[in-house]
Amino acid sequence: MAKDKNPDSKMNFDPEVKKGLIIALVIVLLFSSGNFLGSLMSAGKAIDKASSDVASAVSTQPATTQPAATEPPATQPAASESTAPAADSSAPAADSTAPANNNASTGAPSSKADIVKLYNESANKVKTNASKVTRNFEDLQHNDQYTEMPGALQSIGSGLISSFLKKDETPVDYTGADIAANFPVKGESYVSKITEADLSDATCTDDGTNYNITLKFNECTDPTNNGCAVAFNVIKPDEVYSAAKVVKSFSVRYYDATIECKIDKATGNMTWAKFTLPMVMSVTAQVLATLDAKVGMTFIDDYTITY
């Protein structure tokens, strides 16, 4: 069973989304809605001190504040590439005795359409056929270069956000109904509805035992039935509005989202998957004044699947 459920939460979305929200909205919520924070998580004295610091900083700001800087253009190279882990110890090692990759002779798909078809078929069997899914680690990274906050809040908020964003290397096992509830896409009966149009690139190699697939997604903002939304756990603006009334505008830009996985050639079963989701959250809230903030983050989740 999952170990990260929060029975005291007053909201109906999952703990990871709640964690993302508290990070993105920390600038406006720490000093505006103690009840909302309490329903998300308990952070003890650190939260109390941060709340006091942020409230003090905000009280000194003029009524209208400009964002610290202009968001980098969409074509700028991803910041997450330099901060993502160089290698994954949890990923199954390639067979060193396997023959050199030759897609033509081994039957590994090479066209984007065929790779998407193989991925979808294998991924969607996870929620119906897997006996256990282990989340090996969760790595929440702060992309400080994309974070913008008004005036004095920049140093306070940026440091606080970084303190929340940690790598959790404690394995979490999901079985039975918890697999469908927690493995992407959370709460859905499917894992993937990816189409060719959602991807900028798709590759598949054969190491002799596994097909190794890498899918790179097109940039998208607040996707619903396309892009990252059909394969990742995305944050929905409507959930933010219902949870925090002070928020007047909320949007998330996802860029350079990537899925990597191994599919056993003999069975067609997906045995390992890593989801990397960089994003920039934009928030406008009305508290003591109209405040604008942007938070850059990357969520990485690494899984092993057992049948």
Side-chain angles (χ1 to χ4, degrees):
M1 298 292 286
K3 296 186 289 185
D4 53 355
K5 294 181 179 178
N6 182 359
D8 297 325
S9 175
K10 297 179 181 178
M11 280 163 286
N12 58 6
F13 43 97
D14 62 83
E16 280 75 10
V17 169
K18 295 172 191 174
K19 188 180 296 183
L21 294 181
I22 197 171
I23 294 165
L25 303 179
V26 67
I27 299 306
V28 296
L29 295 179
L30 279 176
F31 56 88
S32 67
S33 180
N35 290 336
F36 176 75
L37 281 175
S39 69
L40 287 179
M41 63 190 296
S42 174
K45 295 180 180 179
I47 286 290
D48 293 336
K49 182 179 186 301
S51 177
S52 175
D53 290 345
V54 173
S56 175
V58 170
S59 67
T60 65
Q61 298 302 303
T64 303
T65 321
Q66 296 300 320
T70 302
E71 181 178 348
T75 56
Q76 179 146 335
S80 62
E81 292 181 2
S82 61
T83 57
D88 297 306
S89 59
S90 58
D95 185 353
S96 60
T97 63
N101 176 56
N102 185 333
N103 287 2
S105 62
T106 62
S110 56
S111 71
K112 184 185 288 187
D114 288 341
I115 294 171
V116 167
K117 182 175 184 292
L118 174 61
Y119 177 83
N120 284 343
E121 290 177 350
S122 180
N124 287 323
K125 290 197 299 181
V126 171
K127 292 193 176 184
T128 57
N129 295 4
S131 60
K132 181 175 71 173
V133 171
T134 301
R135 192 193 72 189
N136 300 309
F137 67 82
E138 174 190 59
D139 190 6
L140 306 183
Q141 304 174 357
H142 180 204
N143 301 327
D144 185 69
Q145 61 270 47
Y146 290 133
T147 296
E148 303 172 7
M149 301 174 191
L153 294 179
Q154 184 74 26
S155 60
I156 298 171
S158 184
L160 182 59
I161 292 168
S162 294
S163 73
F164 278 114
L165 292 172
K166 303 291 185 182
K167 184 175 183 179
D168 183 356
E169 297 185 276
T170 303
V172 179
D173 292 334
Y174 301 111
T175 59
D178 278 345
I179 295 177
N182 291 280
F183 192 72
V185 175
K186 290 190 176 186
E188 301 289 351
S189 60
Y190 63 88
V191 174
S192 174
K193 290 185 177 181
I194 296 170
T195 67
E196 291 180 68
D198 298 317
L199 303 176
S200 62
D201 190 33
T203 60
C204 180
T205 61
D206 183 347
D207 65 20
T209 302
N210 303 289
Y211 292 129
N212 302 285
I213 291 178
T214 300
L215 305 177
K216 297 182 179 180
F217 286 73
N218 295 319
E219 181 176 310
C220 55
T221 299
D222 299 330
T224 53
N225 297 313
N226 65 296
C228 298
V230 298
F232 289 84
N233 301 318
V234 299
I235 297 176
K236 300 176 182 178
D238 286 347
E239 293 177 331
V240 179
Y241 295 135
S242 64
K245 302 303 182 184
V246 297
V247 175
K248 303 306 178 185
S249 174
F250 182 86
S251 184
V252 187
R253 176 173 70 89
Y254 302 97
Y255 64 96
D256 289 348
T258 304
I259 295 176
E260 301 166 73
C261 73
K262 287 184 177 290
I263 297 174
D264 179 64
K265 291 175 59 177
T267 62
N269 291 334
M270 182 179 294
T271 58
W272 170 79
K274 185 177 77 169
F275 297 79
T276 301
L277 187 61
M279 68 191 79
V280 179
M281 297 182 179
S282 299
V283 183
T284 297
Q286 182 67 46
V287 193
L288 303 177
T290 298
L291 301 177
D292 295 301
K294 293 182 180 179
V295 180
M297 299 188 296
T298 297
F299 289 178
I300 303 175
D301 292 282
D302 184 285
Y303 300 92
T304 300
I305 302 103
T306 306
Y307 298 84

